[in-house]
Amino acid sequence: MSNRLTALQKVLLSFLLLAFIGPFLPLALASVSFRWGWPDLLPSIWWWEKREAARLPLAWDYVLDPVSRLLPALQNTVLIAALVTVIALVLSIPAARILARQKFRGKNAAELYFALPLIVPEIATGIGMFLIFLQFGVQGSLFTVVLAHLVPILPYMIRMLTSVYQELDGGMLDQADLLGASKMQRFRYVELPLILPGILAASLFSVLISTNVFLLTFYMGQGQVETLATLLFAKVSSGGALDPVAAAFTLIITLPGIFFLGLTARSLKDDVFAGGLDKG
Amino acid sequence: MSGLRLQNGVTVFDGGGQIGPVSLDIPDGQMMALLGPSGSGKTTTLRMIAGLAPLQSGQLYFGAREVTALSGQARNVGMVFQNYGLFPHMTAEENITFGLRMKGQPKSEQREHLAWILEMTRLGGLEKRFPKELSGGQKQRVALARTLITEPDVLLLDEPLSSLDANLREDMALFIKDLQREFNITTIFVTHDQEEAMMLADQVTVMADGAVLQQGLPPEIFDRPLSAKVAEFMGAANIFTGRIQGINLQTPFGNFEALNTEGAEAGKGTLWMVRPEHIRLFREGDKGPGAVIKSARYHGGFIQYEIEAHGFVLKTRQNSDVSFQQGEHVSFQIAPQHFWSFPEQDH
């Protein structure tokens, strides 16, 4: 096998890269523009040309100014994503374990049942949950947002971890038993390290979904819980197309995902995985 | 250390099938081969002894200790899986000391044990390698070391040689045999290869369709199989229907003088066998019944001929110093003691 790409493969790869980076280019340009109207290929007036003259902070100046409320929104986004992911993992790991390894009556029905939230539109779930929370008077808190985010995330999480568990060699666990490991030791030293790559991948999905969910955040948060998604939505719906601030927010909203992706990619590298985990 | 006795062990497996009742009896420190075709229930029997498949009925004893109701862990049994089951995220050393670490043995004792087992299994210098950096034979030795270091009463090996290259098999077989003798540990290993079973085992148990067909010493199983099924599984025996008439045995390929008539009833057709190596061929046409060479296959030390006599094809095995051509007319002899009548006639 050759490690060189053929000319055709290079062209295809370039297209692929372009397709992934493509959407980011106009965003990056728009975020540093002052005026960018049709049919100009590039902004006609740049942000820095107007920076001194403007009375209000523009573009990135606005974004980084406390008035944009970026920092609290970013904090909320990260906190919610982290809470949702941890809770989803705690609920999904045992569920996936059973679904993958045990046979029981109604297993198919259970699997379908866990996938149901994916079929119901988010807006219906959102309104329904809102009405329930309203009755209990707990609407508009971080906690209700976290609960709401679990709705679209749990189905994915359970599904991904189930296939992770299906791949896991059961003989390895039997072996740990026979060698004298207790159930907790078996989980800590054998099972967890073996499913860790799957857990990281599922967590990545969870973080991505959580940072991007607008409707549920909006309903449950009651405007009291601001995340990057609600902040962005407010900007996009109030301003014209490709408002520099909205463009900047869009770029920032991708940061938690990219950060987590970088983190997991490092841990998933073979040598780190093989060498760094079990030092118990 | 202790012997092993399984009495009428029955277990069920996922598909709803049943294995057993299986009875095994292995004296202390001996090695038994569980021999049978795939799907005969060998591995399930092993899992039953290891506590991985629950005993639905029957009793299991390690020495005088009844372990029927105990978990695999409490039985103190070691098992090496067919794919070795090494933990991929641990080094060879971490794999080997796993059992000691889980028990919380002091580090200094762990090191002592490790040094000792590394020497026994000739793994020195490979401690820091991960399983993916080890060859098949090395993985096998790490798996053996990992199990033996916990000092189990009984050692179970599932197809220990099947994943190895042909040229490594014999070395590994001898290595396992030596190790087993040195530890003097009661051992059962599963195999579908009768040569492997003969080479390694003190005793052989032949299984088929979830039941034991015969248990005995290798020569017993080989020369005096209870049934045609066992004989077929033990290699290329010639099996035929014979009839005792006076002092003669009437066979489809001629009349012979025969001993070993225990399973046979005079005048009634019963199943018999004669092994290929017990048929002697002669170039001269007058030493016995005549036959024609149908095919010849060279096997290294010997040649395998198929001969046809009265329309019946017999497999024979001859030294390679005299060779016959296809189509050549020969005569053959079978000594009376080499006819074997199966005590169990169901076929």
Side-chain angles (χ1 to χ4, degrees):
Chain A
M1 274 245 291
S2 136
N3 287 323
R4 284 263 179 82
L5 295 174
T6 66
L8 179 67
Q9 282 171 326
K10 276 182 191 158
V11 170
L12 289 174
L13 186 63
S14 313
F15 269 115
L16 195 65
L17 289 175
L18 205 66
F20 273 89
I21 295 169
F24 286 91
L25 285 176
L27 277 178
L29 283 174
S31 75
V32 292
S33 71
F34 179 78
R35 178 168 300 149
W36 191 5
W38 194 84
D40 297 335
L41 191 61
L42 288 174
S44 47
I45 305 174
W46 298 91
W47 153 53
W48 51 82
E49 290 171 327
K50 290 283 176 185
R51 202 175 169 188
E52 300 302 321
R55 277 174 294 134
L56 292 169
L58 295 174
W60 285 98
D61 286 332
Y62 174 84
V63 170
L64 298 175
D65 193 281
V67 77
S68 73
R69 302 191 302 279
L70 171 74
L71 207 60
L74 184 64
Q75 279 171 350
N76 273 343
T77 305
V78 171
L79 185 62
I80 291 169
L83 280 174
V84 167
T85 303
V86 169
I87 294 173
L89 280 175
V90 168
L91 294 175
S92 305
I93 289 176
R97 210 162 175 266
I98 300 285
L99 283 175
R101 299 230 297 260
Q102 313 264 326
K103 281 186 185 144
F104 54 89
R105 274 171 61 132
K107 183 173 157 179
N108 289 338
E111 275 178 348
L112 186 68
Y113 179 73
F114 287 135
L116 279 182
L118 297 177
I119 301 165
V120 181
E122 219 173 85
I123 191 157
T125 320
I127 291 174
M129 286 183 89
F130 175 63
L131 290 174
I132 293 170
F133 286 147
L134 207 57
Q135 277 196 333
F136 290 101
V138 291
Q139 78 280 12
S141 72
L142 200 83
F143 174 69
T144 54
V145 175
V146 168
L147 274 187
H149 280 198
L150 285 172
V151 174
I153 285 170
L154 274 177
Y156 284 114
M157 194 80 129
I158 290 175
R159 204 141 255 247
M160 285 181 78
L161 291 179
T162 303
S163 57
V164 169
Y165 265 110
Q166 275 162 349
E167 299 266 300
L168 181 69
D169 177 5
M172 214 85 83
L173 304 179
D174 288 341
Q175 188 64 260
D177 272 343
L178 290 178
L179 290 169
S182 69
K183 285 213 159 61
M184 272 314 292
Q185 285 175 324
R186 187 181 77 179
F187 183 75
R188 161 73 182 81
Y189 295 110
V190 179
E191 195 169 321
L192 197 59
L194 290 178
I195 62 165
L196 195 68
I199 286 182
L200 289 177
S203 304
L204 175 64
F205 259 86
S206 165
V207 167
L208 290 179
I209 295 172
S210 172
T211 51
N212 282 305
V213 167
F214 163 72
L215 265 178
L216 288 171
T217 316
F218 184 69
Y219 276 117
M220 295 303 124
Q222 283 285 287
Q224 323 251 341
V225 181
E226 243 168 6
T227 67
L228 290 176
T230 60
L231 214 56
L232 173 65
F233 198 80
K235 276 292 154 204
V236 172
S237 54
S238 65
L242 280 180
D243 176 83
V245 173
F249 275 144
T250 310
L251 289 176
I252 288 170
I253 208 170
T254 62
L255 287 182
I258 291 174
F259 178 74
F260 199 75
L261 184 66
L263 208 71
T264 49
R266 212 188 85 78
S267 327
L268 290 181
K269 262 199 199 153
D270 226 1
D271 48 349
V272 179
F273 172 59
L277 286 170
D278 184 63
K279 292 293 169 214
Chain B
M1 301 299 151
S2 60
L4 179 146
R5 197 151 47 90
L6 176 64
Q7 285 179 335
N8 298 314
V10 172
T11 192
V12 289
F13 53 86
D14 274 352
Q18 180 188 305
I19 297 292
V22 176
S23 296
L24 298 172
D25 198 346
I26 308 163
D28 188 9
Q30 285 214 358
M31 193 165 193
M32 166 168 285
L34 218 50
L35 177 66
S38 61
S40 57
K42 312 173 299 249
T43 298
T44 309
T45 302
L46 216 58
R47 292 176 65 82
M48 182 154 71
I49 295 166
L52 299 173
L55 273 149
Q56 303 286 321
S57 65
Q59 285 91 40
L60 179 62
Y61 297 88
F62 288 179
R65 186 167 68 103
E66 177 166 7
V67 298
T68 314
L70 301 179
S71 71
Q73 220 174 69
R75 285 178 190 181
N76 195 28
V77 51
M79 178 161 171
V80 175
F81 290 75
Q82 187 172 6
N83 64 1
Y84 315 131
L86 296 182
F87 305 128
H89 56 293
M90 298 183 200
T91 60
E93 179 182 320
E94 287 167 336
N95 263 291
I96 294 170
T97 56
F98 183 83
L100 307 183
R101 286 187 288 136
M102 296 303 110
K103 274 182 204 140
Q105 200 184 59
K107 285 256 188 289
S108 59
E109 279 180 43
Q110 281 184 32
R111 268 195 298 276
E112 239 170 73
H113 271 91
L114 178 70
W116 160 72
I117 203 85
L118 285 175
E119 201 194 311
M120 295 289 274
T121 52
R122 288 187 257 136
L123 280 166
L126 302 173
E127 306 89 297
K128 300 295 175 207
R129 295 220 192 148
F130 285 97
K132 62 172 183 188
E133 299 163 331
L134 297 170
S135 72
Q138 290 166 344
K139 280 186 205 163
Q140 170 82 277
R141 302 213 301 273
V142 171
L144 281 165
R146 178 175 68 171
T147 294
L148 287 172
I149 203 171
T150 63
E151 298 175 49
D153 287 336
V154 170
L155 177 64
L156 309 172
L157 308 171
D158 191 1
E159 296 272 6
L161 305 178
S162 68
S163 342
L164 296 174
D165 291 340
N167 56 340
L168 279 176
R169 275 186 184 201
E170 201 169 325
D171 285 351
M172 184 51 80
L174 293 174
F175 176 80
I176 290 175
K177 184 78 198 158
D178 286 349
L179 206 59
Q180 186 261 337
R181 281 216 186 102
E182 248 166 293
F183 279 82
N184 192 30
I185 183 170
T186 309
T187 302
I188 304 181
F189 77 98
V190 154
T191 178
H192 60 267
D193 184 320
Q194 46 112 351
E195 277 179 40
E196 219 173 280
M198 297 289 143
M199 185 158 62
L200 276 172
D202 302 307
Q203 294 226 27
V204 176
T205 297
V206 182
M207 284 189 76
D209 305 322
V212 171
L213 297 183
Q214 189 172 0
Q215 175 174 345
L217 304 173
E220 269 173 26
I221 304 268
F222 197 71
D223 295 328
R224 294 191 293 283
L226 279 179
S227 63
K229 240 182 198 171
V230 175
E232 269 168 3
F233 196 71
M234 291 311 294
N238 297 296
I239 294 164
F240 55 88
T241 305
R243 195 186 304 270
I244 293 286
Q245 210 73 16
I247 56 157
N248 271 339
L249 172 65
Q250 292 179 347
T251 76
F253 45 88
N255 288 350
F256 296 85
E257 220 181 298
L259 297 175
N260 306 315
T261 58
E262 294 90 343
E265 203 181 305
K268 201 170 157 229
T270 51
L271 286 176
W272 291 72
M273 79 158 196
V274 60
R275 300 201 64 87
E277 59 271 30
H278 293 146
I279 301 177
R280 289 183 63 199
L281 298 185
F282 297 91
R283 181 149 286 135
E284 307 83 0
D286 56 354
K287 297 271 188 170
V292 180
I293 304 282
K294 292 276 289 177
S295 71
R297 262 191 302 160
Y298 188 68
H299 274 274
F302 61 91
I303 304 177
Q304 195 162 349
Y305 294 103
E306 282 188 325
I307 61 170
E308 191 179 315
H310 298 286
F312 193 89
V313 177
L314 287 165
K315 287 170 242 155
T316 79
R317 189 188 256 214
Q318 310 294 317
N319 286 334
S320 47
D321 46 4
V322 189
S323 73
F324 301 94
Q325 301 302 313
Q326 202 175 329
E328 198 174 330
H329 287 266
V330 295
S331 60
F332 65 100
Q333 285 181 0
I334 303 169
Q337 71 271 23
H338 288 143
F339 284 99
W340 174 251
S341 165
F342 298 114
E344 284 172 17
Q345 284 289 330
D346 53 322
H347 188 58

